[in-house]
Amino acid sequence: MNKIKSLVSARIMCGTSGHNHCCRHYRSGGSGGGGVGGVGATASSATMRSLPTEAKVIIYGNDLTALSIAYQLSQKGNFGPNCLVITGQKSDALSDSDSPQVNSCLLNHMIVANPRVSQLIQFSHQLFDVNTTGAVYVAHNPWTVDSFRRRISSSKLVFADDSGVNLLSKEDIERLYGQYLNCDQLLGALHVPNDGIIEDIAGQQRRLRALAVESGVQFVDNYLLSKIKINNNKISNVELIDCHTNRAKRIDCQYFVNSSNNYLTRLIAKRCPTRVRIPTLCTYNQVMVTKPFDGLHGTGGDGGGDSGVPIIHDFDQRFTVYQTSDRSLYLTGYEKVSKILQKNITSHPLRAYKLWITMYFKALKNLGQLVGDGECGQVVAIDNHFGFGWQRSHVLTENDRNGGMNTEIPEVYGNWDDFYRILKPIQERIPALSGAKLHKLVARLENFTPDGRSLIGEVPEIGNYLLAAAVAPQLAAGAGRLITDIITKSDNTFGHDFWSLDPRRFIPSQSNRIFLFDRLREVPAKARYNVNYPAPHNDYQTGHGLRTSPLYPRFKQAGALFQQIMGYERPAVYMGAVELDDYQSGLSDSESQSNEPLRHRYLETQSFGRPHWLDAVHQEYQACRERVALLDYCSFSKLELRSQGDEVVELLQYLCSNDVDINVGSIVHTGMQNERGGYENDVSLLRMADNHYMLIGPTEQQSRCISWIKSHDLDSVVDIRDISGQYTTLCLMGPLSKLVLSEVLADPSELNTFPFFTYKELAIGLAPEVRVCNLTHTGELGWVLYVPNDNAGHVYDMLVRVGQRYDMRHAGSIAMRTLRIEKFFAFWGQDLDTTTTPLECGRAFRVKFDKDFLGKRALLRQREEGVRRRYVQLLLDDFDDKCQVWPWGGEPIFICDPQYDSRAPVGLTTTTGYGFTLGRHVCLGFIRHPHNEIVSNDFILKSKFEVEVGGKRFKARTNIHSPKLTDVSGTYLATRSGPDL
């Protein structure tokens, strides 16, 4: 305690006040330190006379991400001269030199367990100047060490085998870093030599801007964004307001990129008449900076960079310490429960007006000027400068003064009481810091989403509106490349999809502030220091209850543990019936500072080995295969499409690779391919009438599917309705499901003529119109029932009552996942993505080449040339279930053949599960040829492969067709069959 006080007391010696007040600026997108003013004041800034009337791309923002997008676009053909960057800042703004700031950031490849995201970080390493210091991730707990083992395996998909990423023992830590690192209670550490520091963000920005300007990109400084115009669901032009003259300028564009990448992201979205919902808010973070300190330099370590001191991450204590080349130390971290930036403007007109008057005088005092507009009555409200050098301003319009817009006006200060809780474990882990002298404590804001990942790509509401939000600087270059690929319609640079970063992975209600205030309390700590327990079998504690089925209370009473997907509470596994008041979950009262505990049973899997729920899933699995089980399918995306004439048939025939012109009452599975033949969507279509279809898709496709179809229905002749919330969907699965269904139907004889892949509207009990489908989406026998919500409770009670005579069980999504993995069924978003073609995943039999459809040309070309990767099933015969780490997806696949390099991965697992019928672990994934040659059946079946799980390799047998499984009715062959090519 005394050592910590000595460090804190040093701030008195350097003459700082009790709070670090952030200086106010008249700029919105700038980044960096004193040099940023220079970034905005270059001769390349456009004036009113030089502003073009049109541009292919307009980018709003001036941070590292926005400049990365501008630079990379400028390197693509003629996009440079047709690209305009609205910086949102004044070129004659006040200097930043006295502002508290953090003009550096980290490049951490292993801060995320997803190897695909690590590729984006690696791309930033190539584009930016990085001081490669290396990093050490220390672990206090055995599960953190297990997490490191998984990360070492996944790193082989990003780095070469000789990259030096390795696991350190406690003895290794003491030998390398013991002179300044307290190794008590440490169990191990992960050493990553490739990690480093971007020390001069402002300098990086100046360099990118200069390179972009050389290629013709124009930067617009003295303008603010006023309006975004929409035509046919696309942005047609934007209107800018001159900060000095208040004159408006309209510029036509083909793409608009919102890359303000801070709290302005939501405000910019409100400039659009079509509401663009952005699920982000800012959380409060602090960084303590010391004066140059040599107490760590030269005392140990092998960072290899200029400083010689590696970055130190403590996942269990949630802090980070790094040292720049000027020997200054940066100390930061996140508490378990973060503080969220609260909104300051209410909908009450008088309160809004009072705030407007306050902001008027604050602006007048800080700048000595007021920028008004006689027509719009705009007042520029200036606020703070934060971490990563971001600067922000807000424009209060007449709507704001009348309470029509929830404008955020944050005031952020350094708070020693809060930072002490982060500083204390840092001081205990690195005692040598007691000799460091404080320079400043910086308060900053960081944007986060409900799942802690960035938003990069097209928004679902508008076709040519692109978003780069919640992007950390270490992802800036990779994000810029993804946006560039979309705009230029280029092949994906990284060779695979980034659905985990796509804005369409969220639904509109997840941008609700109440939900975000709840969820984002725990997101920052997990996003920055997460152990990354198996997903999707591990959920957040907060933000539950957003979307629930009418049967949600009944599922809870039956013992369901839920996992949230697209905001929907879906039963994952049933662990025994409970009384409704016997459980509560979420952050504790002391952690959440709330008197109301969250009453939701969410699934937690805090192990990388045998999960605690495996036996329960086994019982559910047996019920599905041998008797009968009841599953909740409510979360599935459900749309209705209809037209006056044949327009809906023509549209779907063009979008779908299978033939959808089927008989009324039939069901067809089909992909919706993009121009390159990849899966944009993977759906089932029920033909209700000649010009009426019902579309069923994976839960994650709800926003994506609607936007994809609308983007091709240019004349809006097809009526598209989202009915996901109108039906309660239940699945009766198993060989006895027909007997249960026959006892609840008003007319059981309907089942006598009810073939596979058809549907009927039948009466169940007192429910007159239940859509009954003869399929299960897992390859098992069964029925899916689409019940109007009004009748859901009645139908459920009847099924449960009748099902008791057949020993029916409830089953969750994990059992369903296990069934489809064992049957070799691929799911979109988990196995399939926009880069996967039907020929690569064994679904060529679902492609009808005798008709015209989107992506046909690409598939014909691939069929002629051959595929270069294949979707396979791998059976781990010699895997010991007692191993500490099980396969959970994302494991590298290696080939074991003397003629090939066995050190380089040839593939990646996508989804995994324990196959109870096969009696071994089953992995699904993709395999490429080591020499990037055509992948034939013989290559897959005759080669020997291994899967690396937690640092150990296990032999794997490969299948390219569904395995033959035996059930109570004899031999059963899953429906994934047909010719591969």
Side-chain angles (χ1 to χ4, degrees), residues 308-496:
V309 177
I311 304 163
I312 300 172
H313 299 283
D314 191 319
F315 271 34
D316 300 307
Q317 298 290 344
R318 299 181 297 279
F319 70 75
T320 297
V321 176
Y322 66 94
Q323 188 172 40
T324 54
S325 55
D326 67 354
R327 304 292 182 257
S328 296
L329 285 169
Y330 291 74
L331 290 67
T332 188
Y334 270 102
E335 297 183 70
K336 184 177 181 180
V337 181
S338 295
K339 291 183 177 180
I340 313 299
L341 179 67
Q342 301 288 329
K343 69 175 182 178
N344 291 10
I345 292 184
T346 69
S347 59
H348 195 284
L350 182 58
R351 294 182 182 178
Y353 179 74
K354 287 181 178 178
L355 182 55
W356 171 73
I357 292 296
T358 303
M359 295 311 301
Y360 175 96
F361 285 106
K362 285 184 177 181
L364 194 64
K365 177 181 178 181
N366 283 274
L367 294 177
Q369 62 178 322
L370 175 66
V371 180
D373 187 314
E375 180 180 354
C376 299
Q378 294 182 336
V379 175
V380 179
I382 292 80
D383 59 11
N384 304 327
H385 164 47
F386 303 104
F388 304 136
W390 293 337
Q391 300 145 357
R392 305 157 164 85
S393 69
H394 284 294
V395 181
L396 301 185
T397 67
E398 190 65 32
N399 287 334
D400 301 323
R401 298 170 202 165
N402 293 331
M405 182 178 288
N406 294 322
T407 309
E408 303 161 74
I409 310 292
E411 296 283 350
V412 180
Y413 309 100
N415 187 309
W416 283 105
D417 291 335
D418 289 341
F419 192 75
Y420 170 79
R421 292 188 287 271
I422 297 172
L423 182 61
K424 185 176 183 295
I426 295 177
Q427 182 71 12
E428 292 173 350
R429 181 59 57 204
I430 312 175
L433 288 178
S434 59
K437 301 298 182 181
L438 177 70
H439 174 48
K440 60 188 175 183
L441 179 67
V442 179
R444 64 183 184 181
L445 297 177
E446 287 192 84
N447 243 10
F448 284 95
T449 63
D451 59 9
R453 301 192 294 266
S454 302
L455 296 168
I456 306 172
E458 279 190 326
V459 300
E461 296 87 354
I462 304 173
N464 59 346
Y465 189 122
L466 300 177
L467 182 64
V471 179
Q474 65 179 0
L475 293 173
R481 178 49 60 94
L482 292 178
I483 295 292
T484 299
D485 287 345
I486 294 173
I487 293 175
T488 61
K489 302 186 186 308
S490 304
D491 291 338
N492 190 298
T493 299
F494 303 95
H496 50 69

Side-chain angles (χ1 to χ4, degrees), residues 957-978:
R957 286 188 293 121
T958 55
N959 290 328
I960 58 175
H961 295 294
S962 300
K964 292 184 178 181
L965 305 178
T966 302
D967 60 13
V968 295
S969 61
T971 301
Y972 177 75
L973 180 64
T975 57
R976 183 187 180 277
S977 60

Side-chain angles (χ1 to χ4, degrees), residues 195-251:
D195 283 2
I197 306 167
I198 302 176
E199 294 195 1
D200 184 11
I201 294 180
Q204 305 285 349
Q205 290 178 272
R206 288 192 295 271
R207 180 174 65 89
L208 290 176
R209 177 161 177 165
L211 292 172
V213 168
E214 287 179 6
S215 298
V217 177
Q218 278 189 289
F219 285 80
V220 181
D221 294 325
N222 298 292
Y223 290 86
L224 294 174
L225 183 65
S226 174
K227 298 177 183 177
I228 299 176
K229 300 290 186 179
I230 303 296
N231 186 21
N232 289 331
N233 203 40
K234 287 191 174 183
I235 295 177
S236 59
N237 61 75
V238 301
E239 184 179 285
L240 307 181
I241 298 294
D242 190 313
C243 296
H244 299 297
T245 66
N246 301 317
R247 285 167 26 187
K249 175 70 174 181
R250 183 171 297 176
I251 304 175

Side-chain angles (χ1 to χ4, degrees), residues 290-302:
T290 72
K291 293 182 178 181
F293 178 61
D294 290 325
L296 304 184
H297 183 63
T299 59
D302 57 347

Side-chain angles (χ1 to χ4, degrees), residues 859-934:
L859 293 181
L860 285 173
R861 184 169 57 251
Q862 188 181 55
R863 186 173 68 171
E864 180 180 351
E865 297 174 353
V867 298
R868 298 185 183 274
R869 65 169 181 168
R870 287 289 296 275
Y871 185 58
V872 299
Q873 184 187 62
L874 302 107
L875 309 180
L876 306 186
D877 291 331
D878 59 348
F879 186 86
D880 186 356
D881 292 346
K882 296 180 181 179
C883 288
Q884 286 181 279
V885 180
W886 280 21
W888 295 100
E891 291 81 15
I893 304 170
F894 297 87
I895 190 169
C896 304
D897 194 308
Q899 63 179 315
Y900 303 119
D901 184 1
S902 62
R903 298 173 300 173
V906 295
L908 169 75
T909 65
T910 52
T911 51
T912 64
Y914 187 82
F916 295 105
T917 298
L918 295 173
R920 52 184 53 80
H921 284 271
V922 182
C923 302
L924 306 182
F926 287 88
I927 288 178
R928 291 182 178 272
H929 194 282
H931 299 157
N932 200 31
E933 298 175 2
I934 303 302

Side-chain angles (χ1 to χ4, degrees), residues 508-526:
S509 56
Q510 287 178 295
S511 63
N512 177 280
R513 285 178 175 272
I514 296 176
F515 167 76
L516 291 173
F517 284 153
D518 189 22
R519 169 59 60 82
L520 294 189
R521 292 177 298 156
E522 66 169 321
V523 166
K526 285 192 173 183

Side-chain angles (χ1 to χ4, degrees), residues 160-181:
D161 186 61
D162 57 354
S163 63
V165 178
N166 63 316
L167 189 66
L168 303 178
S169 65
K170 182 176 181 178
E171 291 73 21
D172 293 331
I173 303 171
E174 291 177 340
R175 174 174 54 85
L176 294 171
Y177 314 108
Q179 296 186 45
Y180 58 85
L181 203 63

